[in-house]
Amino acid sequence: MTSQSERNALVAQIKNFPIELEALLAQYPETMFDIPVKPGEWTIRQIVHHLADAHMNALIRMKLVLTEDKPILKPYDQDKWARQADIELPIQSSLLILRGLHERWAELLSNLPDDDWNRAGIHLENGLVTLDQLLKLYSGHGQTHLDQIRQLSVRQSTQG
């Protein structure tokens, strides 16, 4: 189980993620938002919209775990979601979602009693997962995509 200080750090990561994302995105001209970060991978635009989709699902999964007895946590095909029509929108719509969502998410997680961290849901692909495990997973999810976006910067600067 995660210690309280580790948990606080993970919740802070969730809370601060939109700020980190927006600061990183400010380093790129909008003309780069539709370039794959690596050949065959998503673009910055797809990543930002994916983050909103994934983190909405994450908050809902956590709320289901908190309010139901071992709820089913349904997976979804993120690649199919990343090809839907709304992926063409400017990234601002997803940044707005992420700002509000992460504020609410961090507030929820910051105020849970210790017993709630042991509550679990049943993910149809991964089996039984606790709220504590979901916190670790999703606090790292955003960081993984920040690192992915940074790869475009490195690749572009070396091709100049």
Side-chain angles (χ1 to χ4, degrees), residues 102-119:
H102 279 254
E103 182 179 356
R104 290 187 58 195
W105 197 4
E107 183 68 18
L108 173 72
L109 297 175
S110 295
N111 290 289
L112 293 178
D114 285 340
D115 290 348
D116 279 350
W117 292 101
N118 295 319
R119 294 185 62 87

Side-chain angles (χ1 to χ4, degrees), residues 5-76:
S5 62
E6 291 170 318
R7 196 176 294 130
N8 290 344
L10 295 174
V11 171
Q13 215 172 335
I14 286 173
K15 182 178 183 177
N16 296 323
F17 175 73
I19 296 165
E20 290 180 62
L21 177 61
E22 290 182 39
L24 178 60
L25 293 173
Q27 299 173 26
Y28 296 87
E30 194 168 331
T31 56
M32 290 181 71
F33 289 178
D34 295 311
I35 298 171
V37 294
K38 284 185 174 178
E41 289 191 9
W42 288 345
T43 65
I44 289 176
R45 185 179 315 280
Q46 286 174 302
I47 292 167
V48 173
H49 291 310
H50 159 75
L51 286 162
D53 289 342
H55 292 187
M56 283 188 285
N57 274 290
L59 178 59
I60 289 168
R61 286 174 175 169
M62 288 184 166
K63 283 194 162 202
L64 287 169
V65 167
L66 287 167
T67 60
E68 297 179 15
D69 186 30
K70 292 193 175 100
I72 299 298
L73 306 176
K74 186 178 180 287
Y76 61 96

Side-chain angles (χ1 to χ4, degrees), residues 93-155:
S93 59
S94 285
L95 294 175
L96 287 169
I97 289 169
L98 288 166
R99 281 184 216 138
L101 181 97
H102 279 254
E103 182 179 356
R104 290 187 58 195
W105 197 4
E107 183 68 18
L108 173 72
L109 297 175
S110 295
N111 290 289
L112 293 178
D114 285 340
D115 290 348
D116 279 350
W117 292 101
N118 295 319
R119 294 185 62 87
I122 301 167
H123 191 280
L124 294 178
E125 291 176 347
N126 302 324
L128 191 70
V129 290
T130 65
L131 193 63
D132 199 52
Q133 290 169 316
L134 290 172
L135 172 64
K136 290 176 188 174
L137 173 71
Y138 289 117
S139 63
H141 180 256
Q143 299 304 310
T144 298
H145 285 295
L146 290 175
D147 291 342
Q148 185 182 21
I149 292 168
R150 286 184 190 105
Q151 291 175 9
L152 181 61
S153 175
V154 170
R155 189 169 64 88

